[in-house]
Amino acid sequence: PRSTHCIRRQRQMCIRDRALQALNAQWRFFADQGVSYVLTFGDDSRRWLARIGVQSHYHHPQFIDMLSNASDKRQLWQALRTIPAH
């Protein structure tokens, strides 16, 4: 029935909203500690962080694939080297 679908959808939205609030609070904590660069692995991580306005400094779609590919590891290393030291 439609009403059951609507209730289920509302519950999913509520859970997603809470997850976004928690992620935002966690990011604010890190940002308050001076963190300003984010590395993401997997499209979900990049998508969730984008929802709270955080852009990735480096992104790779699959962590395991990155570890097994010398070129991808080199790209990660180069991205890390561009982060200014404090």
Side-chain angles (χ1 to χ4, degrees):
R2 181 169 167 73
S3 62
T4 303
H5 173 74
C6 290
I7 292 171
R8 187 177 308 129
R9 180 127 174 93
Q10 287 174 342
R11 187 178 309 136
Q12 289 171 343
M13 289 174 60
C14 184
I15 291 169
R16 185 177 57 230
D17 289 347
R18 288 182 186 163
L20 284 171
Q21 287 174 346
L23 181 61
N24 195 33
Q26 191 173 34
W27 171 248
R28 282 194 320 267
F29 171 79
F30 284 123
D32 288 347
Q33 304 303 310
V35 173
S36 55
Y37 293 91
V38 175
L39 310 177
T40 56
F41 298 93
D43 291 332
D44 285 343
S45 62
R46 183 169 53 178
R47 229 181 343 265
W48 276 92
L49 286 169
R51 288 178 181 170
I52 62 167
V54 177
Q55 296 302 312
S56 179
H57 177 70
Y58 171 85
H59 174 76
H60 194 281
Q62 294 292 328
F63 182 73
I64 297 299
D65 292 347
M66 185 271 306
L67 291 178
S68 62
N69 184 302
S71 175
D72 290 344
K73 286 192 279 190
R74 194 173 313 111
Q75 288 176 10
L76 171 59
W77 176 245
Q78 293 300 321
L80 292 171
R81 291 186 61 193
T82 66
I83 298 173
H86 289 282

